[in-house]
Amino acid sequence: MPVAASAIYFLNLRGDVLINRMYRDDVGGNMVDAFRTHIMQTKDLGTCPVRQIGGCSFLYMRISNVYIVTVVSTNANAACAFKFVVEAVALFKSYFGGAFDEDAIRNNFVLIYELLDEIMDFGYPQNLSPEILKLYITQEGVRSPFSSKPQDSRPPANATLQVTGAVGWRREGLVYKKNEVFLDIVESVNLLMSQKGTTLRCDVTGKILMKCFLSGMPDLKLGLNDKIGLEKEAQVKARPSRSGKTIELDDVTFHQCVNLTRFNTEKTVSFVPPDGEFELMKYRITEGINLPFRVLPSIKELGRTRMEVNVKVKSVFGAKMFALGVVVKVPVPKNTAKANFQVTAGKAKYNAALDCLVWKVRKFPGQTELTMSAEVELISTMVEKKSWTRPPIQMEFQVPMFTASGLRVRFLKVWEKSGYNTVEWVRYITRAGSYEIRC
């Protein structure tokens, strides 16, 4: 169930109540004494943020020099409670000029009480958007003298539409000289590969980031090469789809601006975007992944004082593409003394702090094979040598205009009643998440 908070307390580090709000009558007004006695005075604050005392649960969080304590008497959703606290603090900061501490609370008692009445009703969280609340709670907080954040001087919007309508994340009256949309598809590849090149585990986590500078209230429609969306489009048009590779998206989550009803029926991503930068959606893919690199390592231990390391890295993406900031980390024993390298490109060195050989290639072309060879000298010890458990080789990279999942934007349509022209920019980036190869 949701939070269903019975009360919220704001305490200083001494345990004094700065401000509190009772939302239900199922807990007594002296519940804060139990928190102060059983948790604060025992200095047991850092072990667990959720504690049960009697028949109530205390969910607490420290922000600056203030403890925010949520008291619940039911089996509430703890994650939702902490999310509410974080959003509430962000709201207070937007009113106080970026500061939230004991002094800011003491200087803004009346405003905080008014906000607490708006953002929670009978213990259930309500709207916590600063942009919307500032439309009808226009009182300005007492700003901290250390805050340099300028006051928001945007023109007022239609508060009724913002609060009760479906577009609470965008205000009316926006005007830009040049209407532009920037879309980034950013993917992270997570891989675990065996020494012989067999994939043991592989998945891609991705997100679509957007930055919109559009006038008015535009309606955007995004088309991707996902399998379900293309099949639905083919049914509507009564003809087979002629698109190329299709992919299956798993664990998709959307920004609140996306019309979920339309997505469930038409399988298209339709939305009225927020102004500026936001994350449109996140997804995960487990099948049909195109790995950007293949790594073939060879590590031989030559007696007690020498090792021979050979690492071959091949880029699998197109020849016209290139990877940036490629880093290969090859683990070595702790008793390594030095290493002599031979590389076909880039630079390599021994990093004693990380116990690994670090090979860096600034720009790695596509369809290219590069190698690193190293002779590692070990310090001989009198202690009987234990078997060395080899950690996996790790890689870091960034490949522009490449997606490991194969996800592509088929179209991005912008419609606005005034009919202005827009410029759309699309970019693809693939990065290394946990890219590991056993050696």
Side-chain angles (χ1 to χ4, degrees), residues 284-359:
R284 188 171 66 92
I285 294 175
T286 56
E287 296 181 357
I289 298 173
N290 300 317
L291 296 176
F293 291 98
R294 295 194 67 84
V295 182
L296 295 175
S298 174
I299 299 179
K300 299 179 180 178
E301 299 184 34
L302 307 175
R304 297 171 59 91
T305 60
R306 287 181 60 235
M307 283 180 60
E308 191 177 88
V309 177
N310 291 286
V311 178
K312 187 181 298 183
V313 180
K314 182 177 182 179
S315 55
V316 187
F317 45 88
K320 294 183 179 180
M321 300 180 184
F322 54 86
L324 298 174
V326 178
V327 180
V328 181
K329 298 179 180 179
V330 183
V332 292
K334 292 183 178 295
N335 61 328
T336 299
K338 65 177 183 178
N340 299 315
F341 297 93
Q342 286 186 350
V343 294
T344 55
K347 297 180 179 180
K349 67 176 183 178
Y350 166 57
N351 190 320
L354 299 177
D355 292 324
C356 65
L357 310 178
V358 181
W359 177 25

Side-chain angles (χ1 to χ4, degrees), residues 27-311:
V27 297
N30 61 345
M31 292 305 298
V32 68
D33 297 331
F35 177 80
R36 189 185 299 116
T37 303
H38 292 85
I39 300 178
M40 293 195 72
Q41 292 183 0
T42 59
K43 298 182 180 180
D44 199 19
L45 288 164
T47 56
C48 180
V50 181
R51 299 293 297 275
Q52 286 188 322
I53 302 174
C56 296
S57 298
F58 294 82
L59 300 90
Y60 57 93
M61 178 183 294
R62 178 177 172 177
I63 307 291
S64 184
N65 57 354
V66 177
Y67 283 104
I68 303 176
V69 184
T70 305
V71 184
V72 296
S73 61
T74 57
N75 186 18
N77 187 328
C80 183
F82 289 119
K83 177 67 174 177
F84 170 80
V85 171
V86 171
E87 295 290 338
V89 170
L91 173 65
F92 296 149
K93 287 182 176 180
S94 70
Y95 272 93
F96 304 160
F100 180 81
D101 51 24
E102 182 176 351
D103 293 334
I105 293 176
R106 292 186 184 276
N107 293 333
N108 295 277
F109 272 124
V110 176
L111 177 58
I112 292 177
Y113 272 120
E114 188 173 358
L115 290 172
L116 289 176
D117 286 338
E118 291 292 340
I119 63 179
M120 185 166 276
D121 183 19
F122 197 59
Y124 293 99
Q126 305 298 311
N127 199 329
L128 288 100
S129 172
E131 292 79 10
I132 296 176
L133 289 169
K134 284 183 179 181
L135 296 176
Y136 57 97
I137 300 180
T138 57
Q139 177 183 346
E140 295 183 359
V142 178
R143 294 167 56 82
S144 168
F146 303 103
S147 174
S148 59
K149 187 178 180 180
Q151 288 280 15
D152 191 355
S153 59
R154 294 180 300 183
N158 186 339
T160 304
L161 173 65
Q162 295 279 14
V163 176
T164 62
V167 191
W169 50 87
R170 183 182 182 90
R171 63 188 178 92
E172 293 180 319
L174 292 170
V175 178
Y176 289 98
K177 290 183 179 180
K178 186 177 182 181
N179 294 283
E180 294 181 296
V181 179
F182 299 86
L183 186 148
D184 288 346
I185 295 182
V186 182
E187 294 188 342
S188 296
V189 185
N190 303 304
L191 169 74
L192 179 60
M193 183 178 288
S194 70
Q195 183 180 1
K196 296 181 179 180
T198 305
T199 301
L200 303 178
R201 184 185 71 246
C202 186
D203 68 87
V204 171
T205 57
K207 55 187 176 181
I208 298 181
L209 305 176
M210 296 195 69
K211 188 182 291 184
C212 296
F213 302 106
L214 300 172
S215 305
M217 297 291 285
D219 190 5
L220 275 66
K221 190 174 182 181
L222 175 65
L224 304 171
N225 62 331
D226 62 296
K227 183 177 181 181
I228 298 177
L230 288 172
E231 290 177 352
K232 188 69 177 181
E233 183 178 307
Q235 293 175 6
V236 172
K237 294 183 178 180
R239 67 171 185 264
S241 174
R242 290 180 294 179
S243 301
K245 179 184 177 181
T246 60
I247 62 173
E248 294 188 23
L249 300 176
D250 301 325
D251 303 332
V252 181
T253 58
F254 292 107
H255 187 273
Q256 61 174 337
C257 68
V258 176
N259 189 329
L260 295 180
T261 303
R262 204 166 174 182
F263 178 78
N264 291 331
T265 56
E266 302 177 13
K267 299 303 177 184
T268 58
V269 183
S270 304
F271 57 100
V272 176
D275 186 43
E277 190 173 351
F278 66 99
E279 184 180 278
L280 178 65
M281 61 180 283
K282 293 189 293 187
Y283 60 90
R284 188 171 66 92
I285 294 175
T286 56
E287 296 181 357
I289 298 173
N290 300 317
L291 296 176
F293 291 98
R294 295 194 67 84
V295 182
L296 295 175
S298 174
I299 299 179
K300 299 179 180 178
E301 299 184 34
L302 307 175
R304 297 171 59 91
T305 60
R306 287 181 60 235
M307 283 180 60
E308 191 177 88
V309 177
N310 291 286
V311 178

Side-chain angles (χ1 to χ4, degrees), residues 414-430:
V414 180
W415 180 89
E416 213 275 337
K417 58 184 179 182
S418 62
Y420 55 71
N421 294 323
T422 60
V423 180
E424 297 90 16
W425 304 88
V426 179
R427 182 172 62 170
Y428 305 93
I429 301 175
T430 294

